[in-house]
Amino acid sequence: MNRSDGLVRRVKSRDTESNGGSSSAANNADQEENRLDKEDDIEDCDSKETRLTLMEEVLLLGLKDKEGYTSFWNDCISSGLRGCILIELGLRGRIELERAGMRRKGLCTRKIILKSDTPTGDVLLDEALKHIKETCPPETIQSWIEYLSGETWNPLKIRYQLKNVRERLAKNLVEKGVLTTEKQNFLLFDMTTHPLTDNVIKCRLVKKIQDAVLTKWVNDPQRIGKRMLALILLAHASDVLENAFAPLNDDDYELAMRRVRELLDLDFEAESAKSNANEVIWAVFAAFTK
């Protein structure tokens, strides 16, 4: 199903290098990614302590501020967060797609190849990276989203599932001072929740997304920062983008949604073939929109 469906109506309910070379390649990729998205950091005035990963940003958008949990009706955020993990690994130069070859394989049929096994320092990313490294033969982006989510019928692949991802990301945000931890009673059971404690960080995140599709909008997706582009489309795939646009007036809301539809309607194959494109990002987008 095309995930651009349903955007027209405003929803009211918001419920394979050597080890020596691989380290250098990973460091170069980290530096390049930081350089490309440096304007985001300058604009946000984020310190290192409050710089968030894609996964943390998507989860933060999905969390109810006071209640401290995501909507019980959201069945998209689990796979969306796994897509964020793959994109983070792609942005940090740890994974890439196999070559398209003479027959020009499509994004959804090309396999993920390990580019560098240098640890990222993030537990979730390193766990996913370890699984990818140990898997032979390689698998596609779509397969890895299913494996990491545990949504696979293959019992031999269930061991690749990343467990308690939302809780682990929430604890990261607690450590960064964005959330706090509480216990809530839901009649039959107690649940650990993570209400918002630093509203400035979330407001800054929401404003950053709004500005990207309104005041700072550019028609060429290649001129949008890779991380911001990924954030917009993965937030949509996770069904939490509406939360960022909810405060907008009706005219700005319609304009923002129309521009998101433009991104969703892009030819991902053509965009991935352009210079300076990160193929992993476009392959993840393709996996969520096919």
Side-chain angles (χ1 to χ4, degrees):
M1 182 182 75
N2 191 318
R3 288 181 179 267
S4 63
D5 295 345
L7 277 175
V8 177
R9 179 173 59 86
R10 182 167 189 174
V11 181
K12 292 183 180 179
S13 177
R14 297 183 176 91
D15 261 351
T16 310
E17 298 178 19
S18 65
N19 289 338
S22 65
S23 177
S24 176
N27 290 336
N28 290 339
D30 284 341
Q31 293 173 7
E32 178 66 7
E33 191 267 321
N34 289 337
R35 184 186 68 78
L36 289 172
D37 290 319
K38 186 177 180 181
E39 65 274 12
D40 289 339
D41 291 334
I42 294 174
E43 185 176 293
D44 294 345
C45 298
D46 280 350
S47 66
K48 290 182 179 180
E49 289 74 23
T50 57
R51 183 173 182 181
L52 310 181
T53 64
L54 278 175
M55 305 89 74
E56 291 166 350
E57 289 179 324
V58 168
L59 179 66
L60 188 56
L61 287 174
L63 283 174
K64 300 174 184 292
D65 293 355
K66 295 181 179 179
E67 293 85 347
Y69 53 83
T70 57
S71 170
F72 294 126
W73 309 108
N74 187 340
D75 57 358
C76 300
I77 194 168
S78 178
S79 58
L81 289 173
R82 272 64 175 189
C84 290
I85 289 173
L86 294 175
I87 287 181
E88 277 282 0
L89 289 174
L91 286 173
R92 299 186 187 207
R94 270 42 173 203
I95 60 174
E96 61 184 355
L97 293 188
E98 65 177 345
R99 294 185 181 278
M102 294 295 291
R103 297 184 180 181
R104 299 300 303 173
K105 293 181 181 179
L107 288 171
C108 292
T109 60
R110 293 163 65 187
K111 308 298 179 62
I112 290 181
I113 303 296
L114 183 71
K115 188 176 181 180
S116 168
D117 61 359
T118 304
T120 65
D122 181 282
V123 176
L124 278 172
L125 294 180
D126 290 341
E127 187 176 336
L129 188 63
K130 180 174 180 289
H131 291 327
I132 293 172
K133 179 182 179 180
E134 294 174 349
T135 301
C136 187
E139 299 280 2
T140 63
I141 288 279
Q142 181 67 54
S143 295
W144 272 114
I145 291 174
E146 293 172 357
Y147 296 161
L148 297 176
S149 303
E151 298 175 358
T152 174
W153 293 101
N154 189 338
L156 299 178
K157 304 295 185 180
I158 199 68
R159 63 191 179 91
Y160 293 144
Q161 180 182 6
L162 298 180
K163 298 180 179 179
N164 303 317
V165 169
R166 271 175 273 189
E167 178 65 21
R168 291 160 74 179
L169 290 173
K171 287 182 177 179
N172 288 348
L173 291 171
V174 170
E175 292 177 359
K176 293 180 179 181
V178 181
L179 305 177
T180 188
T181 301
E182 295 180 357
K183 288 281 188 181
Q184 288 196 27
N185 180 271
F186 288 86
L187 297 179
L188 299 178
F189 62 93
D190 290 332
M191 186 174 82
T192 300
T193 61
H194 300 282
L196 187 69
T197 186
D198 189 342
N199 191 52
V200 173
I201 299 297
K202 185 164 186 177
C203 287
R204 188 182 298 158
L205 172 62
V206 168
K207 185 177 186 302
K208 181 172 69 172
I209 297 173
Q210 293 175 354
D211 288 346
V213 294
L214 292 173
T215 60
K216 296 183 178 179
W217 174 253
V218 290
N219 288 323
D220 181 4
Q222 298 294 332
R223 294 172 56 200
I224 302 175
K226 291 181 177 67
R227 186 170 291 276
M228 175 52 66
L229 183 66
L231 175 58
I232 293 171
L233 294 190
L234 266 296
H236 168 68
S238 303
D239 198 20
V240 299
L241 186 60
E242 169 76 11
N243 297 339
F245 293 161
L248 297 174
N249 62 51
D250 288 345
D251 289 340
D252 284 344
Y253 179 92
E254 291 299 329
L255 178 59
M257 282 305 203
R258 184 166 69 248
R259 287 172 171 171
V260 172
R261 285 196 297 272
E262 292 177 15
L263 296 177
L264 291 168
D265 291 337
L266 288 170
D267 183 339
F268 297 152
E269 296 282 353
E271 295 298 328
S272 70
K274 294 180 179 179
S275 62
N276 199 36
N278 186 303
E279 291 182 319
V280 172
I281 294 179
W282 294 105
V284 171
F285 296 166
F288 279 109
T289 56
K290 71 175 185 178

